[in-house]
mmCIF file of all heavy atoms in Angstrom:
data_model
loop_
_atom_site.group_PDB
_atom_site.id
_atom_site.type_symbol
_atom_site.label_atom_id
_atom_site.label_comp_id
_atom_site.label_asym_id
_atom_site.label_seq_id
_atom_site.Cartn_x
_atom_site.Cartn_y
_atom_site.Cartn_z
ATOM 1 N N GLU U 151 -57.003 -32.516 -7.743
ATOM 2 C CA GLU U 151 -57.122 -31.432 -6.777
ATOM 3 C C GLU U 151 -56.811 -31.926 -5.356
ATOM 4 O O GLU U 151 -56.037 -31.322 -4.635
ATOM 5 C CB GLU U 151 -58.548 -30.887 -6.846
ATOM 6 C CG GLU U 151 -58.770 -29.681 -5.938
ATOM 7 C CD GLU U 151 -60.171 -29.134 -6.093
ATOM 8 O OE1 GLU U 151 -60.660 -29.110 -7.240
ATOM 9 O OE2 GLU U 151 -60.762 -28.770 -5.079
ATOM 10 N N ILE U 155 -53.613 -30.746 -2.894
ATOM 11 C CA ILE U 155 -53.884 -30.161 -1.583
ATOM 12 C C ILE U 155 -53.192 -30.979 -0.490
ATOM 13 O O ILE U 155 -52.611 -30.436 0.432
ATOM 14 C CB ILE U 155 -55.406 -30.043 -1.336
ATOM 15 C CG1 ILE U 155 -55.961 -28.905 -2.195
ATOM 16 C CG2 ILE U 155 -55.715 -29.755 0.132
ATOM 17 C CD1 ILE U 155 -57.439 -28.714 -2.135
ATOM 18 N N ILE U 162 -52.111 -25.586 4.297
ATOM 19 C CA ILE U 162 -53.193 -25.391 3.346
ATOM 20 C C ILE U 162 -54.497 -25.947 3.921
ATOM 21 O O ILE U 162 -55.552 -25.357 3.761
ATOM 22 C CB ILE U 162 -52.839 -26.013 1.972
ATOM 23 C CG1 ILE U 162 -53.582 -25.274 0.867
ATOM 24 C CG2 ILE U 162 -53.152 -27.479 1.877
ATOM 25 C CD1 ILE U 162 -53.051 -25.581 -0.507
ATOM 26 N N ILE U 165 -55.830 -23.544 6.446
ATOM 27 C CA ILE U 165 -56.345 -22.352 5.783
ATOM 28 C C ILE U 165 -57.711 -22.671 5.183
ATOM 29 O O ILE U 165 -58.665 -21.905 5.323
ATOM 30 C CB ILE U 165 -55.381 -21.882 4.671
ATOM 31 C CG1 ILE U 165 -54.117 -21.307 5.299
ATOM 32 C CG2 ILE U 165 -56.025 -20.818 3.802
ATOM 33 C CD1 ILE U 165 -52.980 -21.189 4.333
ATOM 34 N N CYS U 166 -57.808 -23.830 4.520
ATOM 35 C CA CYS U 166 -59.079 -24.210 3.894
ATOM 36 C C CYS U 166 -60.172 -24.373 4.947
ATOM 37 O O CYS U 166 -61.311 -24.008 4.716
ATOM 38 C CB CYS U 166 -58.927 -25.499 3.090
ATOM 39 S SG CYS U 166 -57.960 -25.259 1.604
ATOM 40 N N GLN U 167 -59.784 -24.901 6.107
ATOM 41 C CA GLN U 167 -60.781 -25.115 7.152
ATOM 42 C C GLN U 167 -61.228 -23.808 7.776
ATOM 43 O O GLN U 167 -62.386 -23.632 8.120
ATOM 44 C CB GLN U 167 -60.206 -26.012 8.258
ATOM 45 C CG GLN U 167 -60.279 -27.484 7.911
ATOM 46 C CD GLN U 167 -59.381 -28.293 8.838
ATOM 47 O OE1 GLN U 167 -58.862 -27.782 9.824
ATOM 48 N NE2 GLN U 167 -59.201 -29.557 8.515
ATOM 49 N N SER U 169 -60.680 -20.486 6.616
ATOM 50 C CA SER U 169 -60.930 -19.285 5.853
ATOM 51 C C SER U 169 -61.414 -19.592 4.438
ATOM 52 O O SER U 169 -60.652 -20.050 3.605
ATOM 53 C CB SER U 169 -59.665 -18.434 5.794
ATOM 54 O OG SER U 169 -59.814 -17.445 4.816
ATOM 55 N N SER U 170 -62.642 -19.273 4.201
ATOM 56 C CA SER U 170 -63.175 -19.503 2.856
ATOM 57 C C SER U 170 -62.544 -18.509 1.878
ATOM 58 O O SER U 170 -62.424 -18.773 0.689
ATOM 59 C CB SER U 170 -64.694 -19.364 2.847
ATOM 60 O OG SER U 170 -65.037 -18.081 3.277
ATOM 61 N N GLU U 171 -62.087 -17.371 2.440
ATOM 62 C CA GLU U 171 -61.447 -16.357 1.599
ATOM 63 C C GLU U 171 -60.136 -16.896 1.007
ATOM 64 O O GLU U 171 -59.855 -16.763 -0.180
ATOM 65 C CB GLU U 171 -61.140 -15.133 2.458
ATOM 66 C CG GLU U 171 -61.225 -13.830 1.722
ATOM 67 C CD GLU U 171 -61.104 -12.664 2.693
ATOM 68 O OE1 GLU U 171 -61.234 -12.867 3.915
ATOM 69 O OE2 GLU U 171 -60.860 -11.565 2.220
ATOM 70 N N MET U 172 -59.336 -17.554 1.890
ATOM 71 C CA MET U 172 -58.072 -18.121 1.435
ATOM 72 C C MET U 172 -58.334 -19.279 0.478
ATOM 73 O O MET U 172 -57.634 -19.459 -0.514
ATOM 74 C CB MET U 172 -57.251 -18.626 2.636
ATOM 75 C CG MET U 172 -56.790 -17.525 3.553
ATOM 76 S SD MET U 172 -55.908 -16.223 2.687
ATOM 77 C CE MET U 172 -54.249 -16.531 3.179
ATOM 78 N N ASP U 173 -59.344 -20.059 0.792
ATOM 79 C CA ASP U 173 -59.727 -21.187 -0.046
ATOM 80 C C ASP U 173 -60.043 -20.694 -1.462
ATOM 81 O O ASP U 173 -59.620 -21.276 -2.469
ATOM 82 C CB ASP U 173 -60.956 -21.853 0.586
ATOM 83 C CG ASP U 173 -61.268 -23.189 -0.062
ATOM 84 O OD1 ASP U 173 -60.344 -23.811 -0.606
ATOM 85 O OD2 ASP U 173 -62.435 -23.605 -0.018
ATOM 86 N N GLU U 174 -60.756 -19.592 -1.493
ATOM 87 C CA GLU U 174 -61.144 -18.995 -2.780
ATOM 88 C C GLU U 174 -59.904 -18.568 -3.575
ATOM 89 O O GLU U 174 -59.812 -18.799 -4.778
ATOM 90 C CB GLU U 174 -61.999 -17.770 -2.492
ATOM 91 C CG GLU U 174 -63.024 -17.453 -3.554
ATOM 92 C CD GLU U 174 -63.844 -16.255 -3.121
ATOM 93 O OE1 GLU U 174 -64.687 -16.412 -2.225
ATOM 94 O OE2 GLU U 174 -63.577 -15.179 -3.648
ATOM 95 N N ILE U 175 -58.943 -17.975 -2.881
ATOM 96 C CA ILE U 175 -57.707 -17.526 -3.544
ATOM 97 C C ILE U 175 -56.949 -18.727 -4.109
ATOM 98 O O ILE U 175 -56.503 -18.732 -5.255
ATOM 99 C CB ILE U 175 -56.790 -16.756 -2.555
ATOM 100 C CG1 ILE U 175 -57.430 -15.435 -2.177
ATOM 101 C CG2 ILE U 175 -55.427 -16.511 -3.171
ATOM 102 C CD1 ILE U 175 -56.733 -14.718 -1.045
ATOM 103 N N ILE U 176 -56.832 -19.770 -3.287
ATOM 104 C CA ILE U 176 -56.100 -20.963 -3.716
ATOM 105 C C ILE U 176 -56.738 -21.544 -4.981
ATOM 106 O O ILE U 176 -56.056 -21.903 -5.939
ATOM 107 C CB ILE U 176 -56.077 -22.017 -2.581
ATOM 108 C CG1 ILE U 176 -55.161 -21.527 -1.466
ATOM 109 C CG2 ILE U 176 -55.595 -23.369 -3.098
ATOM 110 C CD1 ILE U 176 -55.344 -22.246 -0.152
ATOM 111 N N HIS U 177 -58.051 -21.615 -4.995
ATOM 112 C CA HIS U 177 -58.726 -22.180 -6.156
ATOM 113 C C HIS U 177 -58.632 -21.276 -7.383
ATOM 114 O O HIS U 177 -58.583 -21.757 -8.507
ATOM 115 C CB HIS U 177 -60.180 -22.523 -5.812
ATOM 116 C CG HIS U 177 -60.252 -23.788 -5.012
ATOM 117 N ND1 HIS U 177 -60.141 -23.795 -3.635
ATOM 118 C CD2 HIS U 177 -60.348 -25.088 -5.387
ATOM 119 C CE1 HIS U 177 -60.187 -25.050 -3.204
ATOM 120 N NE2 HIS U 177 -60.308 -25.851 -4.245
ATOM 121 N N LYS U 178 -58.571 -19.969 -7.139
ATOM 122 C CA LYS U 178 -58.394 -19.029 -8.252
ATOM 123 C C LYS U 178 -57.042 -19.265 -8.917
ATOM 124 O O LYS U 178 -56.914 -19.296 -10.136
ATOM 125 C CB LYS U 178 -58.450 -17.589 -7.711
ATOM 126 C CG LYS U 178 -59.646 -16.810 -8.202
ATOM 127 C CD LYS U 178 -59.407 -15.346 -7.873
ATOM 128 C CE LYS U 178 -60.668 -14.723 -7.321
ATOM 129 N NZ LYS U 178 -60.464 -13.366 -6.815
ATOM 130 N N VAL U 179 -55.993 -19.427 -8.082
ATOM 131 C CA VAL U 179 -54.645 -19.652 -8.603
ATOM 132 C C VAL U 179 -54.608 -20.973 -9.375
ATOM 133 O O VAL U 179 -54.057 -21.066 -10.473
ATOM 134 C CB VAL U 179 -53.592 -19.682 -7.465
ATOM 135 C CG1 VAL U 179 -52.215 -20.043 -7.995
ATOM 136 C CG2 VAL U 179 -53.544 -18.344 -6.757
ATOM 137 N N MET U 180 -55.250 -21.999 -8.791
ATOM 138 C CA MET U 180 -55.258 -23.326 -9.414
ATOM 139 C C MET U 180 -55.924 -23.268 -10.790
ATOM 140 O O MET U 180 -55.458 -23.879 -11.750
ATOM 141 C CB MET U 180 -56.028 -24.271 -8.488
ATOM 142 C CG MET U 180 -55.787 -25.718 -8.792
ATOM 143 S SD MET U 180 -56.369 -26.874 -7.542
ATOM 144 C CE MET U 180 -57.273 -25.998 -6.405
ATOM 145 N N PHE U 220 -48.165 -18.454 -0.552
ATOM 146 C CA PHE U 220 -48.924 -17.444 -1.295
ATOM 147 C C PHE U 220 -48.037 -16.440 -2.026
ATOM 148 O O PHE U 220 -48.522 -15.420 -2.513
ATOM 149 C CB PHE U 220 -49.866 -16.703 -0.337
ATOM 150 C CG PHE U 220 -50.921 -17.598 0.220
ATOM 151 C CD1 PHE U 220 -50.873 -18.014 1.538
ATOM 152 C CD2 PHE U 220 -51.949 -18.064 -0.583
ATOM 153 C CE1 PHE U 220 -51.832 -18.878 2.047
ATOM 154 C CE2 PHE U 220 -52.912 -18.925 -0.083
ATOM 155 C CZ PHE U 220 -52.858 -19.333 1.234
#
Side-chain angles (χ1 to χ4, degrees):
E151 184 177 321
I155 287 176
I162 207 166
I165 289 164
C166 289
Q167 278 165 10
S169 167
S170 59
E171 213 172 345
M172 294 307 254
D173 191 26
E174 210 178 286
I175 292 170
I176 289 163
H177 283 87
K178 246 193 223 172
V179 175
M180 196 167 8
F220 295 107

